[in-house]
């Protein structure tokens, strides 16, 4: 049976949860959230909601400013966040998690927390997580092809965390665990410039 937890219960769980294998505030919050989601058998729905919020951060400079800027009070952040969550259809555990972050003045770290949560989910499911940076959004077909290629390299299903960064011009940068593949055009141009300087 799934029951709905209020903010106070969530705060108590965050205080009580200490995982020595995870370091820092981001790790502790992410671990507490993951354990709560796992216990309520809602890991996938919480991850989907956090992915949705992460996408909103990427798409909206105003939301990113609200999250990162220390000039907003906790009350102002909470009111704005309520409106964003309602409009995006984000509720339940993920919404309460974001509200706890806001109340505790930790909303600025939400991107790190979401990244840590994704890593915990991937470990739980026996997946690998890849950080992918592209110049423009990938089609579903390209995403599937990239997942297949990474699965053949890692031997595991791969959960993609895709970030769009137009400054890489073209190509992509993939970080899978400690391995990084940089096939971005910017890097190639920089290496050509470097070679020309050396030759000149």
């Amino acid at each position: 049976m799934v029951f709905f937890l209020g903010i106070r219960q969530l705060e108590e769980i965050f205080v009580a949860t200490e995982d020595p294998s995870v370091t820092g505030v981001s790790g502790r919050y992410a671990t507490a959230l993951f354990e709560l989601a796992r216990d309520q058998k809602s890991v996938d729905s919480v991850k989907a909601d956090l992915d949705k919020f992460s996408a909103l951060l990427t798409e909206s400079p105003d939301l990113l400013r609200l999250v990162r800027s220390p000039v907003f009070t906790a009350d102002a952040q909470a009111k704005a966040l309520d409106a964003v969550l309602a409009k995006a259809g984000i509720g339940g555990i993920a919404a309460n998690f974001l509200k706890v972050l806001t109340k505790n003045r930790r909303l600025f770290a939400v991107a790190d927390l979401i990244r840590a949560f994704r890593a915990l989910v991937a470990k739980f499911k026996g997946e690998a997580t890849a950080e992918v940076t592209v110049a423009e959004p990938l089609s579903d077909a390209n995403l599937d092809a990239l997942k297949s290629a990474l699965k053949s390299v890692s031997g595991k299903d791969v959960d993609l965390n895709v970030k769009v960064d137009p400054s890489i011009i073209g190509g992509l940068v993939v970080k899978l665990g400690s391995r990084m593949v940089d096939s971005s055009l910017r890097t190639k141009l920089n290496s050509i410039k470097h070679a020309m300087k050396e030759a000149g």
Side-chain angles (χ1 to χ4, degrees):
M1 179 175 126
V2 175
F3 56 95
F4 194 79
L5 281 178
I7 288 178
R8 179 160 293 159
Q9 289 102 325
L10 267 173
E11 286 176 322
E12 287 166 6
I13 290 168
F14 283 115
V15 170
T17 305
E18 288 287 338
D19 182 345
S21 68
V22 178
T23 58
V25 173
S26 299
R28 288 197 300 274
Y29 273 85
T31 300
L33 176 64
F34 172 76
E35 288 177 358
L36 179 61
R38 185 191 58 202
D39 292 348
Q40 293 198 23
K41 301 194 176 5
S42 56
V43 168
D44 290 336
S45 65
V46 171
K47 182 180 176 296
D49 279 344
L50 290 181
D51 286 347
K52 205 184 291 182
F53 189 77
S54 183
L56 291 173
L57 282 176
T58 304
E59 293 160 12
S60 170
D62 288 340
L63 180 58
L64 194 59
R65 196 165 34 257
L66 174 79
V67 163
R68 288 193 177 159
S69 176
V71 301
F72 294 102
T73 65
D75 283 346
Q77 277 185 325
K79 283 179 186 155
L81 184 68
D82 279 345
V84 168
L85 297 177
K87 190 173 178 187
I90 297 172
I93 295 171
N96 279 354
F97 171 70
L98 294 167
K99 289 173 186 176
V100 168
L101 291 182
T102 304
K103 187 176 178 195
N104 292 349
R105 304 295 283 160
R106 292 280 184 269
L107 195 57
F108 67 88
V110 71
D112 290 337
L113 296 165
I114 291 173
R115 211 173 359 261
F117 181 80
R118 283 175 176 149
L120 289 167
V121 172
K123 186 177 175 187
F124 174 66
K125 293 184 166 189
E127 298 173 339
T129 304
E131 304 279 330
V132 180
T133 306
V134 290
E136 55 191 41
L138 294 174
S139 68
D140 288 344
N142 287 338
L143 284 170
D144 289 342
L146 184 56
K147 276 186 181 180
S148 296
L150 292 173
K151 182 176 181 176
S152 67
V153 169
S154 67
K156 295 179 177 180
D157 286 327
V158 178
D159 181 43
L160 299 182
N161 180 13
V162 180
K163 186 173 82 178
V164 176
D165 179 1
S167 73
I168 69 170
I169 306 169
L172 57 121
V173 180
V174 179
K175 185 169 185 238
L176 181 63
S178 60
R179 290 179 286 183
M180 187 158 136
V181 179
D182 187 339
S183 68
S184 67
L185 192 52
R186 183 178 65 183
T187 300
K188 288 177 182 167
L189 291 172
N190 286 342
S191 63
I192 291 168
K193 280 185 205 163
H194 184 69
M196 286 164 66
K197 280 182 192 165
E198 295 282 310

